[in-house]
Amino acid sequence: MPTAVSRDFLALEGLDGPEITTWLDAAEAMVPFAAGDRFLPHPLPLAGRVVANLFFEDSTRTRVSFEIAGKRLGAEITNLSSAGSSASKGETLLDTARNIEAMGVDAIVVRSGVSGAAAMLARHLDCPIVNAGDGRHEHPTQGLLDLLSLRKHLGAIAGRRIAIVGDIANSRVARSVTHGLVALGAEAVLVGPPTLVDPSLERLAKGPGRISVGHDLDAVLPTVDAVMTLRIQLERAAGSGISSDYRSSYGLTAARRDRMRENCAILHPGPVNRGIEIDDDVADDPRRSLILRQVTHGVAVRMAVLRACVLG
Ligand code: NCD
């Protein structure tokens, strides 16, 4: 298990290439168990442990993925969302989390619309905190599952060119995966409208890899090994800066798929706005689309992270 990390898992920023590789190796070892092809030997590593899922923002994949990951390791999972909890009565996130900790949980997984929320809880609480997405900041388990999907498809990440397309400014997914790509020696090519992709993003991450910024998707497509497209973050950007012809410039259409290299991988973190950022034919491409494999790898990543954080 990775040793260079604390018992919290908050961000990919600050991890170096070997640390990220250690996480990817731990996650890859979990893939057969995540997919249900094999079962871990009894007693399960987290038998008798309790993990609390605190989700203060809508989620399907990430919440269920943490829940299944915990169950496959033998943990009990308790789910709390803002609707139906005392958050709707004005209780702060910190007070809610302190109360959950006082009930003796072994880890708290938190999703919040506020950037920095997970780190704030980690400063105040003793139990391990896992960031399941905080505002526009980071979504580190999503970053790892994207990297694992890329590594399994491409064989290696160092030296590869990976396009990340869309609403980069508002995307915690783009931030996490960019930190990971640069740490592993790849080039992250950030592509989108000038309002959402600004040249200062070239300094987002440090490492042996690099970041480039562009606005012309059609020019970039034939030059990359993978294209990760993002959901337009209507709840964060309130649509600002997203023109009605987004699809014509940045949508992954069937015509654009034909401009990609033969083995180019297509990724999307979900939820997918079909017909806006990606068309059906592309999302469901049986050979190049990794979208459902990303979801399976997400369970494996979360198994590795929960095991390391709870068992220390
Ligand atoms: C992402 C998220 O919530 O940050 N989805 C996910 O976790 N799979 C991306 C998004 O909402 O666009």
Side-chain angles (χ1 to χ4, degrees), residues 3 34 49 110 116 128 142 165 172 193 202 221 245 261 270 277 306:
T3 50
R49 307 300 187 120
V110 62
Q142 178 73 41
V165 182
R172 57 193 172 209
E202 285 182 2
L221 283 178
D245 63 3
R261 291 178 182 168
E277 68 259 0
L306 286 178

Side-chain angles (χ1 to χ4, degrees), residues 64-78:
V64 176
S65 181
F66 270 108
E67 188 169 346
I68 291 175
K71 286 180 172 167
R72 290 221 185 269
L73 294 166
E76 305 272 349
I77 311 294
T78 184

Side-chain angles (χ1 to χ4, degrees), residues 149 153 286-298:
S149 303
H153 184 82
R287 202 165 41 84
R288 288 190 273 200
S289 171
L290 306 188
I291 294 175
L292 290 177
R293 265 176 271 170
Q294 288 174 268
V295 177
T296 305
H297 294 155

Side-chain angles (χ1 to χ4, degrees), residues 57-59 61-62 111 132-133 139 142 172-173 230-233 235-236 268-271 302:
E57 215 187 38
D58 291 344
S59 168
R61 266 155 296 272
T62 306
R111 154 74 59 104
H139 191 351
Q142 178 73 41
R172 57 193 172 209
V173 174
L230 302 167
R231 184 178 64 87
I232 293 295
Q233 304 277 299
E235 75 278 29
R236 272 177 252 288
H268 191 305
R302 287 157 186 142

Side-chain angles (χ1 to χ4, degrees), residues 207-221:
R210 61 186 292 258
I211 300 173
S212 56
V213 165
H215 308 295
D216 183 351
L217 179 59
D218 290 308
V220 164
L221 283 178

Side-chain angles (χ1 to χ4, degrees), residues 242-255:
I242 301 166
S243 68
S244 55
D245 63 3
Y246 179 86
R247 183 177 179 282
S248 70
S249 300
Y250 298 107
L252 291 190
T253 58

Side-chain angles (χ1 to χ4, degrees), residues 5-21:
V5 288
S6 71
R7 276 154 48 88
D8 302 310
F9 188 73
L10 302 175
L12 294 192
E13 181 175 9
L15 300 186
D16 63 19
E19 287 167 331
I20 291 184
T21 299

